[in-house]
Each structure stands twice: as C-alpha cells, then as structure tokens.
Amino acid sequence: MEQYNLAGMLAANPVNVYYLSNTVPIAIGMRKELSAFATLPRNQDEPMFLVTTTLQTWEMSNLDRWVPEVMRFTRPQNWREYAGDSPVPLTQEPVASSRTPTIDDNATLTQRERAWLEAAGARAPAPSPEWALVRAMKESGITRGRVAVDDMRIAHMLQRIGVAEGIEFVDGENLFRRIRYIKSAAEIDYLRIGGQNNYAAAMATIAGFKVGMTLAEIEQSFLAEAALRGNEVGFLLAGTSVGSFRQGKIVEGEPFLFDAVSGYQQYLGDFGRTVVVGEPNLEVKKRAAAQSAARETVMGMLRPGVRYSEIITAGREAFRKAGGPVETFFVSPHSVGLQHTDQPYRDDSPWKSGEDLALEAGMVITVDLPYIDLGFGAGHNEDLLLITADGYELLHEESDNLIVV
C-alpha cells in the first residue's frame, strides 16, 4: 500500500472477502450481489472489518477460527420515507431494523446460543450494506486519500449516499492479486490438503473410466469423489479441452486430456493427465514420451528467479526435440490459490495481459503441458507445485504421464 500510496483497500469480490476475513458469508453463497465487504487499512494498528449480515454473526461467534471485527447490517426500517413524491435524501442514514429472535422466557439457552445473541448485539446494526461499510471504513481509519477497491461498484454505492468526499477510488483488483500470489504458511497447508484430495479424487474418477462414458457421467463421478474427500469441485475438463470428446463419448484407444480442479477451504488443487481407455497406439505413446520430456525439462528448472517466459520456451523446445508436433503443444505456467489463475496482470496494459513473473519462494503454481490436435485427440500433464527456496515441492503424489485404463 505504501508503493501505491493507498489509505486502505476495500473488498467486495467473494475471493478477496474470504482472503481478508476467513469467512464465506451466507449471502455470498446465495449469490447475492455486493452482499459482503472487507476492509484492509494501511495502518496495521487499525482494525480490519468484515461487513456482513446480522445472521452471519451467529456462525462467527462459534470461535472455530480467526475472524476480524464484524460490522453487521440489517435493513432500513423506514424505507418508505425514501420513496414516493417527497423522498428523504439518500444522504440521510435510514433507521436500522432491530428485529431480534423471539425467546421463550422459560427456555434454557446453551452457551453457544447465548454467544449468538451476544455477538449479534455487540454493535448496533447499520441499516444497509453501504452504511455498514461506511462505519467500518471510519473505524479502520479509511476516510480520505486513495482507496483501492476490487469492484468499482463500491465507489458508486458510497458516492450515491454522499459519503465519499475526500476519497479517490482506484481499481484495486490487480493489487489484491499482487498480495495474494505469495502464499502464507496457513494457505500452503490448505493447498497441500486440497491438492492431495484433488489428486486422489481425479485418480479414483479415472479408474472408473469405460468406453462409451460421456462428460456428464465423468463430471458426476468426480463431483462425488471430491466431496468424499472434503473438496468442492471448481471445474473439470475431459476430452479435447472445453469441447468435450471428439465423438461425444470415450472411444477405445483414443487419447484425451483430463484436467481436474477442486478445492479445500476455498484453496484449489489442479491436476491433469493424458488418458486412454484401451491400448494406445504408437503415435499416442510417442506424444506421451514428448510430454514427459517437456515435463522433465520444466521441472528441472523450477526455482526462484526463473521467469514464466523461460519455462515456456524450454518446455516447447523439449517437446519438439522429443519428436512431438510442437504446433499442437502449449506450455502455460500459472499461480494457483483462491483462484485458478491466482496471479497479477501487467499494470501497464489496458487489458488483462499476463505478467512475465519470476518464480518466488512461497508461490504455488502449475505448468499446463497439453497438446490439442483436432482429428487425433488430446493429452495433458499438470501438477500442483510449491516453489521453495531452492526448487519445488510436489503437493500430491506422483503418477505416470500417460494413464492407460
């Protein structure tokens, strides 16, 4: 924040709200727009806040994890005064509804129930999300200067109620990415669990492949295998990239890529392989050997200081030298974390152009090594890796590059 001269940062993107608050508010799970926020002040002595519903304070009071301060909101009790022919100005804060649960006088509350009620009453509620965010910003010391927001709708909603004077809002979506792509020890622990769970779910799914299976059947299997291990599915590719199978189903002897992404506690695992059901022919084996050569080359150069561009060049050259049709081959290193591509873009581009990052200790990455050849089939190789001080650590078990079922 010193580098960009920021007074603070505000998050509305569910990814960043979770990153700052260790919480996925229930309203986000309901896919409500701008339903929760988080504050990150420049001054570390000032408190961080999660801005969320009163109901969410019940879950947070269970004390099962670290959470920041909470600024809760209900809804405007006097909303009718802001409608009609002579509405009250939006700059005048509404009266918050103070509805509380009905409790039988003879009821014996558990310790947890008492904690729920105490948490809900710790601060008077704000009447709406924007007014709660205003209170959180004041207590976080974010009241003037440059403020980075990961969604410019935050600026609009605060300007709409007339409380943004003295604040210059700047697009901070990429700044959050600059913070997130180096992982903390706690994040790495989650990624280890998520990566291993994802690998195990993927291998269990592959073991059940049969000729004639469709993408929908494979997706259902992976969904179940991931859930059994405590992971939530992000996405799954099987066949020839996003287009699914060339003939709509698994065909005996035909190579296809399998790319599985699922996560634990929001942190994603990512694993990919070339799969054949039945006996692969010589050309399939040749391309698998070229993929293996590219993988060996790439893995051998993974250490702090090596740039993405160097990995791409070396991987493609190794595939070509091993006899693979390089025009079908892709090399794509990317960071993984709360997002599949969890890394910053270039600041000097008007578009989301990839930055040629240098590897750093604490990054968790994969290197996609697929070939996609219309009229033939596809293959893939991808592993979840932690960059260490002198190399890398594989965050799941090893497996063959070509898996024959």
Side-chain angles (χ1 to χ4, degrees):
M1 280 192 271
E2 290 182 5
Q3 180 181 349
Y4 291 89
N5 190 28
L6 300 176
M9 302 176 72
L10 305 177
N13 183 326
V15 168
N16 295 324
V17 170
Y18 176 82
Y19 184 72
L20 296 181
S21 70
N22 207 20
T23 303
V24 180
I26 189 170
I28 287 176
M30 295 174 180
R31 300 187 181 180
K32 292 185 177 181
E33 293 288 329
L34 298 181
S35 55
F37 306 91
T39 67
L40 179 64
R42 177 170 173 170
N43 184 349
Q44 296 184 20
D45 293 329
E46 300 285 2
M48 298 168 57
F49 278 92
L50 170 65
V51 177
T52 187
T53 60
T54 293
L55 184 62
Q56 192 72 45
T57 63
W58 289 24
E59 182 267 338
M60 298 176 74
S61 69
N62 292 334
L63 303 178
D64 59 353
R65 65 188 187 284
W66 175 89
V67 294
E69 295 287 323
V70 179
M71 190 66 68
R72 65 191 180 103
F73 59 84
T74 54
R75 57 184 178 82
Q77 179 175 290
N78 59 331
W79 64 268
R80 290 177 179 81
E81 297 177 11
Y82 293 80
D85 295 332
S86 302
V88 171
L90 292 178
T91 54
Q92 181 174 317
E93 183 175 344
V95 177
S97 171
S98 57
R99 184 175 61 183
T100 56
T102 301
I103 303 172
D104 189 322
D105 291 339
N106 297 318
T108 301
L109 301 181
T110 66
Q111 182 177 352
R112 176 170 289 199
E113 287 174 316
R114 291 194 297 272
W116 292 346
L117 296 178
E118 290 172 5
R123 279 187 174 88
S128 68
E130 50 264 74
W131 285 105
L133 180 57
V134 169
R135 295 184 189 183
M137 290 171 66
K138 288 180 179 178
E139 291 202 36
S140 291
I142 306 173
T143 57
R144 300 188 67 81
R146 286 166 53 87
V147 176
V149 295
D150 66 359
D151 189 321
M152 290 302 288
R153 288 177 297 175
I154 296 175
H156 171 71
M157 64 189 294
L158 295 178
Q159 290 164 350
R160 179 170 171 263
I161 60 174
V163 296
E165 185 177 351
I167 295 177
E168 178 192 356
F169 292 102
V170 297
D171 185 352
E173 191 264 346
N174 205 40
L175 299 185
F176 274 100
R177 287 174 170 269
R178 291 200 178 281
I179 296 171
R180 292 200 332 255
Y181 85 99
I182 302 297
K183 305 300 187 287
S184 68
E187 290 179 290
I188 291 169
D189 287 343
Y190 281 155
L191 284 158
R192 278 199 183 94
I193 297 170
Q196 180 58 38
N197 288 350
N198 183 66
Y199 168 84
M203 294 299 285
T205 301
I206 292 170
F209 284 173
K210 295 179 175 59
V211 170
M213 284 185 74
T214 65
L215 177 59
E217 292 171 322
I218 293 170
E219 287 175 332
Q220 189 63 35
S221 175
F222 181 61
L223 181 70
E225 296 292 351
L228 282 172
R229 293 164 174 82
N231 270 26
E232 183 177 358
V233 173
F235 70 85
L236 176 71
L237 301 178
T240 306
S241 190
V242 179
S244 183
F245 295 95
R246 294 177 60 238
Q247 300 184 51
K249 59 186 178 181
I250 294 178
V251 174
E252 184 173 1
E254 185 172 290
F256 60 92
L257 64 79
F258 184 78
D259 188 352
V261 176
S262 67
Y264 176 78
Q265 296 294 334
Q266 309 298 314
Y267 285 87
L268 300 175
D270 197 352
F271 172 77
R273 285 296 184 268
T274 303
V275 182
V276 176
V277 177
E279 183 61 30
N281 62 32
L282 291 177
E283 181 61 22
V284 172
K285 293 179 180 178
K286 177 183 175 181
R287 295 192 187 200
Q291 271 186 310
S292 294
R295 180 181 189 273
E296 183 176 351
T297 296
V298 165
M299 294 295 221
M301 61 192 301
L302 295 180
R303 65 184 65 85
V306 175
R307 291 196 173 275
Y308 280 7
S309 57
E310 297 174 271
I311 295 170
I312 293 168
T313 299
R316 285 181 57 81
E317 180 62 13
F319 187 79
R320 185 193 65 79
K321 284 185 175 180
V326 73
E327 66 276 3
T328 71
F329 189 60
F330 302 88
V331 181
S332 180
H334 65 87
S335 175
V336 180
L338 288 172
Q339 292 180 291
H340 172 264
T341 309
D342 200 33
Q343 62 196 32
Y345 302 108
R346 294 179 62 100
D347 284 327
D348 59 355
S349 170
W351 317 112
K352 289 187 174 179
S353 304
E355 185 169 326
D356 187 17
L357 293 173
L359 299 182
E360 298 180 52
M363 289 178 68
V364 172
I365 70 166
T366 70
V367 182
D368 286 276
L369 298 165
Y371 70 82
I372 299 172
D373 192 352
L374 299 183
F376 178 80
H380 195 23
N381 184 278
E382 183 175 18
D383 298 285
L384 194 68
L385 309 160
L386 168 66
I387 302 302
T388 62
D390 55 2
Y392 71 90
E393 173 192 342
L394 185 63
L395 295 184
H396 54 69
E397 296 174 35
E398 283 276 10
S399 76
D400 292 336
N401 174 61
L402 173 62
I403 301 177
V404 179
V405 181

